[in-house]
Amino acid sequence: SSPSSSSLYILVIAHPDDECMFFLPTLLHFRSVMGSAQVWVVCLSNGNYEGKGSLREMELKTACRIVGVHKCFCVNVLPDDPRATWPATTISRALDAVLLETLQQDDHFSSLTLLTFDQGGVSGHSNHVDTYRGVQYWLSHHHDHTNTTTFQNKLVTGW
């Protein structure tokens, strides 16, 4: 079905390239049916694990522009490191900073849908799992937003 014209879809990812590696079919689908609804991407790290954070952030913004994402935020509040634990509260504060402030400026959206990894992080990467947990934490503390829903990406194997 086609998204509502006043709908906002926000993809929350851990690193630059997650938008392509795990969510490209979803983003391309949205581009084909969006109408005037919007898709945003919020990335929690600039992907600096190998010291290429600036390049990876630029690649993220380019990829988002190519697939028709309306806004791309690289908040870079957490390290790209599979050994690091990403606290749900830090992720929630980052989402607050982007979502609540930005939505006050763009208050014409009647619904907000968050998309992120499944509870296994799709690939099992600890930063992906923590991203899922952080989004769930944010939702549990913003339950008063009755028009907020969430979908988690499911890994489809066999292709």
Side-chain angles (χ1 to χ4, degrees), residues 5-31:
S5 63
S6 60
S7 299
L8 174 59
Y9 297 83
I10 299 179
L11 172 61
V12 182
I13 58 176
H15 319 101
D17 77 14
D18 292 344
E19 78 289 349
C20 291
M21 289 179 61
F22 305 111
F23 297 98
L24 186 60
T26 301
L27 292 172
L28 291 174
H29 171 74
F30 279 136
R31 182 175 71 177

PDB file of all heavy atoms in Angstrom, residues 5-31:
ATOM      1  N   SER A   5       0.336  10.779   2.662  1.00  0.00           N
ATOM      2  CA  SER A   5       1.107  11.958   2.284  1.00  0.00           C
ATOM      3  C   SER A   5       1.649  12.705   3.489  1.00  0.00           C
ATOM      4  O   SER A   5       2.581  13.480   3.367  1.00  0.00           O
ATOM      5  CB  SER A   5       0.250  12.896   1.441  1.00  0.00           C
ATOM      6  OG  SER A   5      -0.842  13.350   2.200  1.00  0.00           O
ATOM      7  N   SER A   6       1.089  12.484   4.670  1.00  0.00           N
ATOM      8  CA  SER A   6       1.592  13.173   5.853  1.00  0.00           C
ATOM      9  C   SER A   6       2.379  12.231   6.761  1.00  0.00           C
ATOM     10  O   SER A   6       2.543  12.489   7.933  1.00  0.00           O
ATOM     11  CB  SER A   6       0.435  13.822   6.607  1.00  0.00           C
ATOM     12  OG  SER A   6      -0.480  12.831   7.010  1.00  0.00           O
ATOM     13  N   SER A   7       2.858  11.151   6.188  1.00  0.00           N
ATOM     14  CA  SER A   7       3.614  10.161   6.943  1.00  0.00           C
ATOM     15  C   SER A   7       5.103  10.451   6.879  1.00  0.00           C
ATOM     16  O   SER A   7       5.612  10.933   5.876  1.00  0.00           O
ATOM     17  CB  SER A   7       3.375   8.753   6.388  1.00  0.00           C
ATOM     18  OG  SER A   7       2.024   8.399   6.489  1.00  0.00           O
ATOM     19  N   LEU A   8       5.766  10.125   7.984  1.00  0.00           N
ATOM     20  CA  LEU A   8       7.212  10.237   8.060  1.00  0.00           C
ATOM     21  C   LEU A   8       7.771   8.871   8.432  1.00  0.00           C
ATOM     22  O   LEU A   8       7.341   8.264   9.412  1.00  0.00           O
ATOM     23  CB  LEU A   8       7.628  11.272   9.105  1.00  0.00           C
ATOM     24  CG  LEU A   8       9.121  11.410   9.394  1.00  0.00           C
ATOM     25  CD1 LEU A   8       9.893  11.789   8.135  1.00  0.00           C
ATOM     26  CD2 LEU A   8       9.355  12.429  10.496  1.00  0.00           C
ATOM     27  N   TYR A   9       8.715   8.383   7.634  1.00  0.00           N
ATOM     28  CA  TYR A   9       9.368   7.109   7.859  1.00  0.00           C
ATOM     29  C   TYR A   9      10.826   7.391   8.168  1.00  0.00           C
ATOM     30  O   TYR A   9      11.511   8.040   7.380  1.00  0.00           O
ATOM     31  CB  TYR A   9       9.245   6.212   6.618  1.00  0.00           C
ATOM     32  CG  TYR A   9       7.810   5.886   6.311  1.00  0.00           C
ATOM     33  CD1 TYR A   9       7.010   6.778   5.597  1.00  0.00           C
ATOM     34  CD2 TYR A   9       7.247   4.711   6.771  1.00  0.00           C
ATOM     35  CE1 TYR A   9       5.682   6.498   5.341  1.00  0.00           C
ATOM     36  CE2 TYR A   9       5.911   4.424   6.524  1.00  0.00           C
ATOM     37  CZ  TYR A   9       5.143   5.327   5.809  1.00  0.00           C
ATOM     38  OH  TYR A   9       3.822   5.048   5.560  1.00  0.00           O
ATOM     39  N   ILE A  10      11.291   6.913   9.325  1.00  0.00           N
ATOM     40  CA  ILE A  10      12.668   7.172   9.731  1.00  0.00           C
ATOM     41  C   ILE A  10      13.391   5.842   9.918  1.00  0.00           C
ATOM     42  O   ILE A  10      12.991   5.010  10.735  1.00  0.00           O
ATOM     43  CB  ILE A  10      12.739   8.012  11.015  1.00  0.00           C
ATOM     44  CG1 ILE A  10      12.077   9.368  10.774  1.00  0.00           C
ATOM     45  CG2 ILE A  10      14.184   8.183  11.463  1.00  0.00           C
ATOM     46  CD1 ILE A  10      12.051  10.278  11.972  1.00  0.00           C
ATOM     47  N   LEU A  11      14.451   5.679   9.152  1.00  0.00           N
ATOM     48  CA  LEU A  11      15.313   4.514   9.259  1.00  0.00           C
ATOM     49  C   LEU A  11      16.440   4.853  10.216  1.00  0.00           C
ATOM     50  O   LEU A  11      17.163   5.826  10.005  1.00  0.00           O
ATOM     51  CB  LEU A  11      15.876   4.159   7.877  1.00  0.00           C
ATOM     52  CG  LEU A  11      16.953   3.076   7.833  1.00  0.00           C
ATOM     53  CD1 LEU A  11      16.418   1.749   8.362  1.00  0.00           C
ATOM     54  CD2 LEU A  11      17.474   2.923   6.404  1.00  0.00           C
ATOM     55  N   VAL A  12      16.586   4.066  11.285  1.00  0.00           N
ATOM     56  CA  VAL A  12      17.649   4.270  12.266  1.00  0.00           C
ATOM     57  C   VAL A  12      18.684   3.164  12.067  1.00  0.00           C
ATOM     58  O   VAL A  12      18.370   1.978  12.187  1.00  0.00           O
ATOM     59  CB  VAL A  12      17.105   4.246  13.715  1.00  0.00           C
ATOM     60  CG1 VAL A  12      18.232   4.520  14.713  1.00  0.00           C
ATOM     61  CG2 VAL A  12      15.966   5.244  13.890  1.00  0.00           C
ATOM     62  N   ILE A  13      19.917   3.583  11.741  1.00  0.00           N
ATOM     63  CA  ILE A  13      20.989   2.625  11.458  1.00  0.00           C
ATOM     64  C   ILE A  13      22.190   2.913  12.355  1.00  0.00           C
ATOM     65  O   ILE A  13      22.285   3.976  12.964  1.00  0.00           O
ATOM     66  CB  ILE A  13      21.399   2.655   9.969  1.00  0.00           C
ATOM     67  CG1 ILE A  13      21.867   4.059   9.546  1.00  0.00           C
ATOM     68  CG2 ILE A  13      20.255   2.161   9.095  1.00  0.00           C
ATOM     69  CD1 ILE A  13      22.387   4.143   8.114  1.00  0.00           C
ATOM     70  N   ALA A  14      23.099   1.964  12.399  1.00  0.00           N
ATOM     71  CA  ALA A  14      24.283   2.100  13.243  1.00  0.00           C
ATOM     72  C   ALA A  14      25.438   2.778  12.511  1.00  0.00           C
ATOM     73  O   ALA A  14      26.122   3.632  13.086  1.00  0.00           O
ATOM     74  CB  ALA A  14      24.730   0.723  13.744  1.00  0.00           C
ATOM     75  N   HIS A  15      25.675   2.385  11.257  1.00  0.00           N
ATOM     76  CA  HIS A  15      26.859   2.842  10.520  1.00  0.00           C
ATOM     77  C   HIS A  15      26.507   3.225   9.089  1.00  0.00           C
ATOM     78  O   HIS A  15      25.573   2.675   8.517  1.00  0.00           O
ATOM     79  CB  HIS A  15      27.896   1.714  10.405  1.00  0.00           C
ATOM     80  CG  HIS A  15      28.074   0.899  11.620  1.00  0.00           C
ATOM     81  ND1 HIS A  15      27.496  -0.338  11.769  1.00  0.00           N
ATOM     82  CD2 HIS A  15      28.772   1.145  12.759  1.00  0.00           C
ATOM     83  CE1 HIS A  15      27.835  -0.833  12.953  1.00  0.00           C
ATOM     84  NE2 HIS A  15      28.599   0.043  13.575  1.00  0.00           N
ATOM     85  N   PRO A  16      27.311   4.108   8.490  1.00  0.00           N
ATOM     86  CA  PRO A  16      27.193   4.307   7.049  1.00  0.00           C
ATOM     87  C   PRO A  16      27.442   2.962   6.363  1.00  0.00           C
ATOM     88  O   PRO A  16      28.320   2.207   6.776  1.00  0.00           O
ATOM     89  CB  PRO A  16      28.317   5.287   6.723  1.00  0.00           C
ATOM     90  CG  PRO A  16      28.559   6.023   8.007  1.00  0.00           C
ATOM     91  CD  PRO A  16      28.339   4.991   9.084  1.00  0.00           C
ATOM     92  N   ASP A  17      26.697   2.661   5.411  1.00  0.00           N
ATOM     93  CA  ASP A  17      26.619   1.463   4.562  1.00  0.00           C
ATOM     94  C   ASP A  17      25.515   0.529   5.019  1.00  0.00           C
ATOM     95  O   ASP A  17      25.058  -0.304   4.248  1.00  0.00           O
ATOM     96  CB  ASP A  17      27.947   0.721   4.358  1.00  0.00           C
ATOM     97  CG  ASP A  17      28.437  -0.135   5.510  1.00  0.00           C
ATOM     98  OD1 ASP A  17      27.686  -0.425   6.451  1.00  0.00           O
ATOM     99  OD2 ASP A  17      29.620  -0.528   5.468  1.00  0.00           O
ATOM    100  N   ASP A  18      25.029   0.668   6.250  1.00  0.00           N
ATOM    101  CA  ASP A  18      23.889  -0.152   6.686  1.00  0.00           C
ATOM    102  C   ASP A  18      22.660   0.136   5.832  1.00  0.00           C
ATOM    103  O   ASP A  18      21.860  -0.769   5.572  1.00  0.00           O
ATOM    104  CB  ASP A  18      23.538   0.106   8.159  1.00  0.00           C
ATOM    105  CG  ASP A  18      24.597  -0.378   9.130  1.00  0.00           C
ATOM    106  OD1 ASP A  18      25.474  -1.176   8.732  1.00  0.00           O
ATOM    107  OD2 ASP A  18      24.547   0.057  10.297  1.00  0.00           O
ATOM    108  N   GLU A  19      22.529   1.388   5.395  1.00  0.00           N
ATOM    109  CA  GLU A  19      21.368   1.752   4.573  1.00  0.00           C
ATOM    110  C   GLU A  19      21.355   0.959   3.270  1.00  0.00           C
ATOM    111  O   GLU A  19      20.287   0.588   2.771  1.00  0.00           O
ATOM    112  CB  GLU A  19      21.327   3.268   4.309  1.00  0.00           C
ATOM    113  CG  GLU A  19      22.261   3.796   3.252  1.00  0.00           C
ATOM    114  CD  GLU A  19      23.743   3.808   3.618  1.00  0.00           C
ATOM    115  OE1 GLU A  19      24.098   3.595   4.807  1.00  0.00           O
ATOM    116  OE2 GLU A  19      24.563   4.045   2.721  1.00  0.00           O
ATOM    117  N   CYS A  20      22.522   0.654   2.733  1.00  0.00           N
ATOM    118  CA  CYS A  20      22.618  -0.115   1.483  1.00  0.00           C
ATOM    119  C   CYS A  20      22.681  -1.613   1.730  1.00  0.00           C
ATOM    120  O   CYS A  20      22.033  -2.397   1.049  1.00  0.00           O
ATOM    121  CB  CYS A  20      23.838   0.328   0.680  1.00  0.00           C
ATOM    122  SG  CYS A  20      23.684   1.991   0.023  1.00  0.00           S
ATOM    123  N   MET A  21      23.471  -2.030   2.709  1.00  0.00           N
ATOM    124  CA  MET A  21      23.665  -3.459   2.952  1.00  0.00           C
ATOM    125  C   MET A  21      22.395  -4.156   3.434  1.00  0.00           C
ATOM    126  O   MET A  21      22.163  -5.319   3.093  1.00  0.00           O
ATOM    127  CB  MET A  21      24.782  -3.674   3.973  1.00  0.00           C
ATOM    128  CG  MET A  21      26.146  -3.347   3.423  1.00  0.00           C
ATOM    129  SD  MET A  21      27.465  -3.572   4.631  1.00  0.00           S
ATOM    130  CE  MET A  21      27.341  -5.302   5.006  1.00  0.00           C
ATOM    131  N   PHE A  22      21.588  -3.470   4.237  1.00  0.00           N
ATOM    132  CA  PHE A  22      20.449  -4.125   4.862  1.00  0.00           C
ATOM    133  C   PHE A  22      19.090  -3.530   4.501  1.00  0.00           C
ATOM    134  O   PHE A  22      18.074  -4.194   4.682  1.00  0.00           O
ATOM    135  CB  PHE A  22      20.613  -4.095   6.390  1.00  0.00           C
ATOM    136  CG  PHE A  22      21.907  -4.700   6.842  1.00  0.00           C
ATOM    137  CD1 PHE A  22      22.893  -3.904   7.390  1.00  0.00           C
ATOM    138  CD2 PHE A  22      22.150  -6.050   6.703  1.00  0.00           C
ATOM    139  CE1 PHE A  22      24.094  -4.444   7.807  1.00  0.00           C
ATOM    140  CE2 PHE A  22      23.355  -6.612   7.103  1.00  0.00           C
ATOM    141  CZ  PHE A  22      24.330  -5.803   7.665  1.00  0.00           C
ATOM    142  N   PHE A  23      19.051  -2.300   4.041  1.00  0.00           N
ATOM    143  CA  PHE A  23      17.770  -1.628   3.856  1.00  0.00           C
ATOM    144  C   PHE A  23      17.537  -1.061   2.459  1.00  0.00           C
ATOM    145  O   PHE A  23      16.539  -0.392   2.224  1.00  0.00           O
ATOM    146  CB  PHE A  23      17.632  -0.491   4.885  1.00  0.00           C
ATOM    147  CG  PHE A  23      17.615  -0.975   6.304  1.00  0.00           C
ATOM    148  CD1 PHE A  23      18.775  -0.944   7.072  1.00  0.00           C
ATOM    149  CD2 PHE A  23      16.458  -1.463   6.879  1.00  0.00           C
ATOM    150  CE1 PHE A  23      18.774  -1.389   8.391  1.00  0.00           C
ATOM    151  CE2 PHE A  23      16.442  -1.921   8.188  1.00  0.00           C
ATOM    152  CZ  PHE A  23      17.600  -1.880   8.948  1.00  0.00           C
ATOM    153  N   LEU A  24      18.430  -1.320   1.514  1.00  0.00           N
ATOM    154  CA  LEU A  24      18.274  -0.742   0.183  1.00  0.00           C
ATOM    155  C   LEU A  24      16.951  -1.128  -0.482  1.00  0.00           C
ATOM    156  O   LEU A  24      16.273  -0.252  -1.035  1.00  0.00           O
ATOM    157  CB  LEU A  24      19.462  -1.093  -0.710  1.00  0.00           C
ATOM    158  CG  LEU A  24      19.467  -0.413  -2.077  1.00  0.00           C
ATOM    159  CD1 LEU A  24      19.483   1.109  -1.931  1.00  0.00           C
ATOM    160  CD2 LEU A  24      20.661  -0.875  -2.894  1.00  0.00           C
ATOM    161  N   PRO A  25      16.527  -2.388  -0.450  1.00  0.00           N
ATOM    162  CA  PRO A  25      15.221  -2.700  -1.067  1.00  0.00           C
ATOM    163  C   PRO A  25      14.071  -1.894  -0.454  1.00  0.00           C
ATOM    164  O   PRO A  25      13.175  -1.442  -1.165  1.00  0.00           O
ATOM    165  CB  PRO A  25      15.054  -4.199  -0.813  1.00  0.00           C
ATOM    166  CG  PRO A  25      16.452  -4.710  -0.677  1.00  0.00           C
ATOM    167  CD  PRO A  25      17.206  -3.590   0.022  1.00  0.00           C
ATOM    168  N   THR A  26      14.115  -1.695   0.847  1.00  0.00           N
ATOM    169  CA  THR A  26      13.076  -0.905   1.514  1.00  0.00           C
ATOM    170  C   THR A  26      13.126   0.537   1.040  1.00  0.00           C
ATOM    171  O   THR A  26      12.085   1.135   0.717  1.00  0.00           O
ATOM    172  CB  THR A  26      13.259  -0.975   3.048  1.00  0.00           C
ATOM    173  OG1 THR A  26      13.183  -2.340   3.454  1.00  0.00           O
ATOM    174  CG2 THR A  26      12.209  -0.151   3.764  1.00  0.00           C
ATOM    175  N   LEU A  27      14.314   1.121   1.002  1.00  0.00           N
ATOM    176  CA  LEU A  27      14.447   2.511   0.558  1.00  0.00           C
ATOM    177  C   LEU A  27      14.013   2.685  -0.889  1.00  0.00           C
ATOM    178  O   LEU A  27      13.343   3.662  -1.233  1.00  0.00           O
ATOM    179  CB  LEU A  27      15.880   3.002   0.766  1.00  0.00           C
ATOM    180  CG  LEU A  27      16.325   3.157   2.220  1.00  0.00           C
ATOM    181  CD1 LEU A  27      17.818   3.467   2.297  1.00  0.00           C
ATOM    182  CD2 LEU A  27      15.513   4.210   2.938  1.00  0.00           C
ATOM    183  N   LEU A  28      14.363   1.738  -1.742  1.00  0.00           N
ATOM    184  CA  LEU A  28      13.952   1.823  -3.146  1.00  0.00           C
ATOM    185  C   LEU A  28      12.442   1.670  -3.288  1.00  0.00           C
ATOM    186  O   LEU A  28      11.814   2.341  -4.114  1.00  0.00           O
ATOM    187  CB  LEU A  28      14.683   0.776  -3.983  1.00  0.00           C
ATOM    188  CG  LEU A  28      16.186   1.021  -4.156  1.00  0.00           C
ATOM    189  CD1 LEU A  28      16.836  -0.154  -4.887  1.00  0.00           C
ATOM    190  CD2 LEU A  28      16.457   2.330  -4.866  1.00  0.00           C
ATOM    191  N   HIS A  29      11.845   0.817  -2.482  1.00  0.00           N
ATOM    192  CA  HIS A  29      10.386   0.681  -2.498  1.00  0.00           C
ATOM    193  C   HIS A  29       9.727   2.004  -2.108  1.00  0.00           C
ATOM    194  O   HIS A  29       8.797   2.458  -2.775  1.00  0.00           O
ATOM    195  CB  HIS A  29       9.938  -0.426  -1.553  1.00  0.00           C
ATOM    196  CG  HIS A  29       8.452  -0.473  -1.378  1.00  0.00           C
ATOM    197  ND1 HIS A  29       7.613  -0.958  -2.365  1.00  0.00           N
ATOM    198  CD2 HIS A  29       7.665  -0.059  -0.365  1.00  0.00           C
ATOM    199  CE1 HIS A  29       6.356  -0.839  -1.946  1.00  0.00           C
ATOM    200  NE2 HIS A  29       6.367  -0.307  -0.742  1.00  0.00           N
ATOM    201  N   PHE A  30      10.222   2.609  -1.037  1.00  0.00           N
ATOM    202  CA  PHE A  30       9.654   3.889  -0.616  1.00  0.00           C
ATOM    203  C   PHE A  30       9.758   4.925  -1.729  1.00  0.00           C
ATOM    204  O   PHE A  30       8.826   5.666  -1.977  1.00  0.00           O
ATOM    205  CB  PHE A  30      10.333   4.409   0.648  1.00  0.00           C
ATOM    206  CG  PHE A  30       9.823   3.795   1.914  1.00  0.00           C
ATOM    207  CD1 PHE A  30      10.704   3.383   2.897  1.00  0.00           C
ATOM    208  CD2 PHE A  30       8.471   3.637   2.139  1.00  0.00           C
ATOM    209  CE1 PHE A  30      10.243   2.829   4.070  1.00  0.00           C
ATOM    210  CE2 PHE A  30       7.995   3.075   3.309  1.00  0.00           C
ATOM    211  CZ  PHE A  30       8.875   2.670   4.272  1.00  0.00           C
ATOM    212  N   ARG A  31      10.901   4.955  -2.404  1.00  0.00           N
ATOM    213  CA  ARG A  31      11.081   5.934  -3.474  1.00  0.00           C
ATOM    214  C   ARG A  31      10.028   5.745  -4.563  1.00  0.00           C
ATOM    215  O   ARG A  31       9.543   6.713  -5.146  1.00  0.00           O
ATOM    216  CB  ARG A  31      12.480   5.813  -4.065  1.00  0.00           C
ATOM    217  CG  ARG A  31      12.735   6.853  -5.158  1.00  0.00           C
ATOM    218  CD  ARG A  31      14.142   6.828  -5.660  1.00  0.00           C
ATOM    219  NE  ARG A  31      14.378   5.627  -6.440  1.00  0.00           N
ATOM    220  CZ  ARG A  31      15.514   5.357  -7.052  1.00  0.00           C
ATOM    221  NH1 ARG A  31      16.532   6.181  -6.943  1.00  0.00           N
ATOM    222  NH2 ARG A  31      15.657   4.264  -7.745  1.00  0.00           N
TER     223      ARG A  31
END
